[in-house]
Amino acid sequence: MRKRNGLHNRHSMFSIELKNLRFFSAHGIYEEERVLGNLYCVNCIVAFTEQERIIERIEDTVNYQRIFEIIRDRMNHPTPLLETVCMKIGQDIHQTFPQLKSIHLSIEKEHPPIEGLEGAFCVTWNKEYH
């Protein structure tokens, strides 16, 4: 920790959250899932270190519209495993915003095609960068 004006300067973090993004997609390992599709809910939290200056321009932060576009593009690409979808979304986000210190991403399949199941399945992926 550095001292500035006699105070410890700890790095503050910003997080940007995209909540309850809804998609109709055809992910799944079963043919029925790839034909009929399903509803999915995506949540994403990204974090980055606060800069010394006040953020006043979009270039000084992480553009959540661009993150949404990355998520939307991957959700529109049918993939057998949600784990793969999570990892690829995370990799694409980090490649676009290398200043990120962490990404937390969850994808929930709202109506899995399992007889008698009431509920949802969710895959969660967390990654920290140094």
Side-chain angles (χ1 to χ4, degrees):
M1 266 183 283
R2 297 178 294 172
K3 279 193 170 191
R4 188 174 67 186
N5 299 331
L7 300 174
H8 290 286
N9 179 20
R10 292 187 177 169
H11 292 286
S12 299
M13 298 292 284
F14 262 105
S15 63
I16 294 176
E17 299 184 37
L18 288 81
K19 296 182 177 184
N20 300 320
L21 305 177
R22 303 257 184 232
F23 300 94
F24 189 84
S25 301
H27 303 300
I29 58 172
Y30 301 110
E31 184 178 349
E32 175 185 3
E33 296 175 290
R34 293 188 303 269
V35 172
L36 298 177
N38 208 326
L39 291 173
Y40 293 85
C41 179
V42 178
N43 290 286
C44 181
I45 303 171
V46 299
F48 60 97
T49 305
E50 175 184 1
Q51 301 300 310
E52 294 291 326
R53 64 187 182 282
I54 298 294
I55 295 173
E56 296 182 301
R57 304 172 319 138
I58 192 69
E59 295 81 18
D60 298 331
T61 187
V62 174
N63 184 333
Y64 55 79
Q65 178 180 345
R66 182 66 188 114
I67 293 175
F68 168 74
E69 292 167 354
I70 290 168
I71 293 169
R72 181 194 61 209
D73 291 349
R74 283 286 176 188
M75 290 303 293
N76 286 332
H77 182 81
T79 305
L81 296 174
L82 291 181
E83 292 85 347
T84 305
V85 179
C86 274
M87 292 176 79
K88 287 186 174 190
I89 289 171
Q91 290 169 351
D92 291 348
I93 290 171
H94 192 253
Q95 184 175 14
T96 304
F97 300 104
Q99 71 270 36
L100 293 177
K101 297 298 180 191
S102 68
I103 299 172
H104 175 91
L105 183 67
S106 66
I107 302 175
E108 181 177 295
K109 183 182 287 191
E110 295 189 357
H111 305 288
I114 297 176
E115 188 173 328
L117 175 75
E118 291 190 30
F121 289 139
C122 185
V123 171
T124 301
W125 183 81
N126 294 293
K127 181 91 174 200
E128 292 191 20
Y129 304 91
H130 302 282

